[in-house]
Amino acid sequence: VDAELNAIKGGGGAHLREKLVAAASRKLVLIADYRKDSEVLGEKWDKGVPVEVSPLAWSTIKRQLERMVPKSRAQGLSTADAMVAFEFSYPIAVLRQAVRKAGPVVTDNGNFILDVSMGKIYDPLAVEQLIKMVPGVIEVGIFSNMATEAWFGNEDGSISCRFARSEMKKQDELGYEFDLTNGKLRNTSTGEPYKYSVFGSDKKKNADLYHSLLAPASRDVYRVLVESDLGMEPIAVPDARQPHCNIYVTPDGLSKKHLVVIITGHGVCGGVWAWNVLVKEGLRAGSVVEYVRGCVRRGYGVLVLNPNENIVAPDGFPETFNTYAGHSTPIHGSETPDEHVGYVWSRIIR
C-alpha cells in the first residue's frame, strides 16, 4: 500500500475476483501489517505485479510486457516530458509456477499469472493502463484510486490508519459537534448524543460513520481548547510564515511559576488521548481538556504539545502520518515526534 492508498494485490492469484468485488463496493478499506506500508508501490514488495493473462498467448504477452518503457503518456505528454511511471528500464515478467504440482499456476478463472517486476512504481494508474492495453491481459493486480482508508498493524502492536484525502470530511459536515456543556459528541440536528448504533442493525453504516468521525473529532479538540472557558492560545511551530503545526498554551501559561507540559501518545492529534475513546466517550475521557482545567484551577500554566503533526498537506493544513496519505511538506523542527518535543523545549519552554 503506498502513500496514496494505491495497492498491489494478487499474491494468492485471486485479484480479478477481488477487484470485481472492490469495484462493486461502496467503500474499499485495506487492512495490512506494517510490512506492507510503503511510500511508493514496489518499495517493500519485490515480487512484482500479478497480471492475469489468457493461457493461449501468455508467452506473447510476456514479450510485450517486457518491452514496456517507463515513460508514462497517460496524460498526453510527449515522451521527453512524460512522467517516469516505474523504476526499471524494462519490466521482467515471470510465469508463476505451481508449488506442489508441475506446471504453471491456474487461477479460479482458468487463466495464467505473470508476475511483472518493474521496481518502484511511481504512477500506479499509468502502469495499470499500460498493462491493460496489451491484448490478452485479463486483469492487473494494481488497485489504483479505489481504497478510501487503510489500517495497519504496527510492529509494536499498535494500530494506525490513513484516509484518502477525498474521504476526510469536517465534523460539522458529518452532522456532529462537541457539546461544551457535557463534552459529549452530539448530532447537530437532533441534539442527541452520539452512539455507535446510530443506524440500528446496519453494521456497515454504523462503522462507516464511526471511522469517518475519528479524524475530524480529534481536530475539533483544537477548537475546544481555544473557544471554551480554557481560552488557550495557539503557538505556531516553527512559525506561521512557513509550514507549521500549532501547540496550545493557557493565558500567561509560560510565565507561571509551574508549567505542566502535556505530550500525547503515538499517532493522535495534539490534545487527544485516544481517537476511539474521544468519539465514544467524549472530551472528558478522550482528550486533555479536563486535565488542563484541573491544572488551571491549581494556578499552573499548561502547554499542550502536538508531536504527531509532522507534515503539511497541499491545502496548508498540518497532518499526521496516520491520517493523511499523499504529497506533503515536512514541518521544519517537527519532522518527527522527538524533534517536535526537542524544538519546543529548546526554543519555547527554556
Side-chain angles (χ1 to χ4, degrees), residues 51-68 91-95 112-114 116 130-131 133-138:
V51 179
E52 187 162 348
V53 301
S54 170
L56 296 174
W58 73 265
S59 59
T60 302
I61 298 168
K62 178 181 184 296
R63 287 194 296 272
Q64 289 184 270
L65 290 175
E66 290 181 333
R67 288 199 294 265
M68 285 196 320
I92 301 170
V94 177
L95 182 65
F112 290 173
I113 292 178
L114 291 172
V116 184
L130 286 169
I131 295 175
M133 290 173 64
V134 177
V137 168
I138 309 298

Side-chain angles (χ1 to χ4, degrees), residues 36 41 91 103 124 163 175 198 223 231 247 281 285 339:
K36 306 287 181 67
L41 295 182
F163 295 89
V198 174
R223 178 187 66 84
I247 60 177
E281 304 296 330
E339 289 183 12

Side-chain angles (χ1 to χ4, degrees), residues 6 10 49-50 66 73 116 118 199 261 267 271 274 282 317 340:
N6 301 303
V49 176
E66 290 181 333
R73 302 181 189 180
V116 184
M118 55 190 71
F199 299 102
V261 180
F317 286 94
H340 173 83

Side-chain angles (χ1 to χ4, degrees), residues 193-242:
Y194 168 81
K195 58 180 181 179
Y196 185 84
S197 57
V198 174
F199 299 102
S201 60
D202 193 326
K203 295 181 180 179
K204 178 171 174 49
K205 283 188 176 181
N206 288 328
D208 285 349
L209 177 60
Y210 168 70
H211 291 307
S212 297
L213 282 168
L214 292 177
S218 297
R219 302 198 180 287
D220 201 39
V221 171
Y222 301 149
R223 178 187 66 84
V224 175
L225 293 176
V226 174
E227 297 180 7
S228 69
D229 58 297
L230 297 174
M232 300 187 78
E233 301 167 357
I235 301 175
V237 175
D239 63 67
R241 296 168 297 178
Q242 57 183 306

Side-chain angles (χ1 to χ4, degrees), residues 39 50-51 113 126 175 179 181 205 238 250 252 283 298 302 339:
E39 185 66 23
V51 179
I113 292 178
D179 184 342
T181 60
K205 283 188 176 181
T250 50
D252 300 319
L283 292 168
R298 291 168 173 78
V302 182
E339 289 183 12

Side-chain angles (χ1 to χ4, degrees), residues 22 80 105 113 174 228 233 241 255-256 268-269 317 320 348:
V105 168
I113 292 178
L174 295 167
S228 69
E233 301 167 357
R241 296 168 297 178
S255 62
K256 299 284 187 181
V268 295
C269 298
F317 286 94
T320 74
I348 297 174

